[in-house]
Amino acid sequence: MEKQIATELRKLLKDAQRQFLSLHNNFPGKQPFSGIVRTNALPCGSGSRIGGIYPTISRINHSCLPNAHNSWDSASGHENIYAVRFIGAGEEITISYDHGGPSDERRRHLKDAFDFDCDCSICSRQLDELQQSDERGREITRLDSEIGNALRVLQSPKDCLKDCQVMLQILEEEYEGSPGVHLVRLYYDAFQISIVHDDQARARALCRAVI
Ligand SMILES: [Zn+2]
């Protein structure tokens, strides 16, 4: 990968090369180009193995309670940043690099993948608050898996929708009233459960609610 990146880098204009080389590298060593890519690449779509490097967006730091969300638009070929809560003048814009769960799992993932210790406002909570937050994180992961269980969606749609409601309350609590993209995913899941059972009225209401 190092050689491949070096070849691609040589094709860029000097300014673009400088922009790339000025990005942070969490993995200094013998493979500086790969280190910069590993530190700064954002996936082009959820779960994509293709990533993009951006002179500005790649500099956005992580928070487990982010105020923005990154999203790849395949039609325009652009990575977009959306505010998910009010961002005050001078406040740092943050996005989430992890997939949720309790703080020890999040912090381990962030350390392994990006080599930093998260000290965001959630990870820095007092011990008793952090334990409650971790409990919510575990419950969100459990409910997410229950809601995504295709067989259960077919056999027990009402139970799945009830889980969506419980999840909504937990998300509101954990993300201090602004669950952002988690909320959109949850509504989309509830929409899918409804449409699978041809409950078009509910599906329409869920679409309207999220818009
Ligand atoms: Zn954190």
Side-chain angles (χ1 to χ4, degrees), residues 155-171:
Q155 292 176 344
S156 316
K158 281 187 182 170
D159 290 340
C160 289
L161 286 173
K162 266 185 209 156
D163 283 347
C164 290
Q165 238 169 356
V166 175
M167 176 97 136
L168 179 62
Q169 286 165 3
I170 298 173
L171 286 174

Side-chain angles (χ1 to χ4, degrees), residues 69 84 168 171 178-192 206-207 209-211:
H69 173 67
V84 295
L168 179 62
L171 286 174
S178 299
V181 70
H182 300 280
L183 189 70
V184 179
R185 283 200 196 117
L186 179 63
Y187 271 89
Y188 185 64
D189 285 342
F191 162 81
Q192 283 192 311
L206 287 162
C207 273
V210 80
I211 291 166

Side-chain angles (χ1 to χ4, degrees), residues 62-66 85 101-103 106-107 118-127 129-131 133-134 136 173-176:
H62 162 87
S63 170
C64 300
L65 186 63
R85 61 176 71 217
S103 58
R106 292 197 310 268
R107 288 166 65 92
C118 189
D119 60 354
C120 75
S121 59
I122 292 190
C123 292
S124 315
R125 283 171 177 166
Q126 301 280 346
L127 191 59
E129 282 181 25
L130 191 61
Q131 281 170 343
S133 166
D134 286 345
R136 285 193 290 270
E173 211 175 327
E174 178 62 6
Y175 294 99
E176 299 175 0

Side-chain angles (χ1 to χ4, degrees), residues 23-93:
L23 290 169
H24 189 65
N25 181 2
N26 275 345
F27 308 94
K30 288 182 182 164
Q31 301 189 320
F33 301 149
S34 318
I36 290 176
V37 168
R38 199 176 152 192
T39 307
N40 295 281
L42 286 167
C44 298
S46 179
S48 174
R49 290 177 59 82
I50 300 171
I53 308 275
Y54 309 92
T56 310
I57 293 175
S58 289
R59 295 180 187 278
I60 299 178
N61 283 329
H62 162 87
S63 170
C64 300
L65 186 63
N67 54 23
H69 173 67
N70 58 299
S71 175
W72 172 252
D73 181 347
S74 53
S76 67
H78 285 146
E79 181 77 13
N80 296 320
I81 300 293
Y82 297 97
V84 295
R85 61 176 71 217
F86 176 77
I87 302 174
E91 188 185 338
E92 181 181 7
I93 295 172

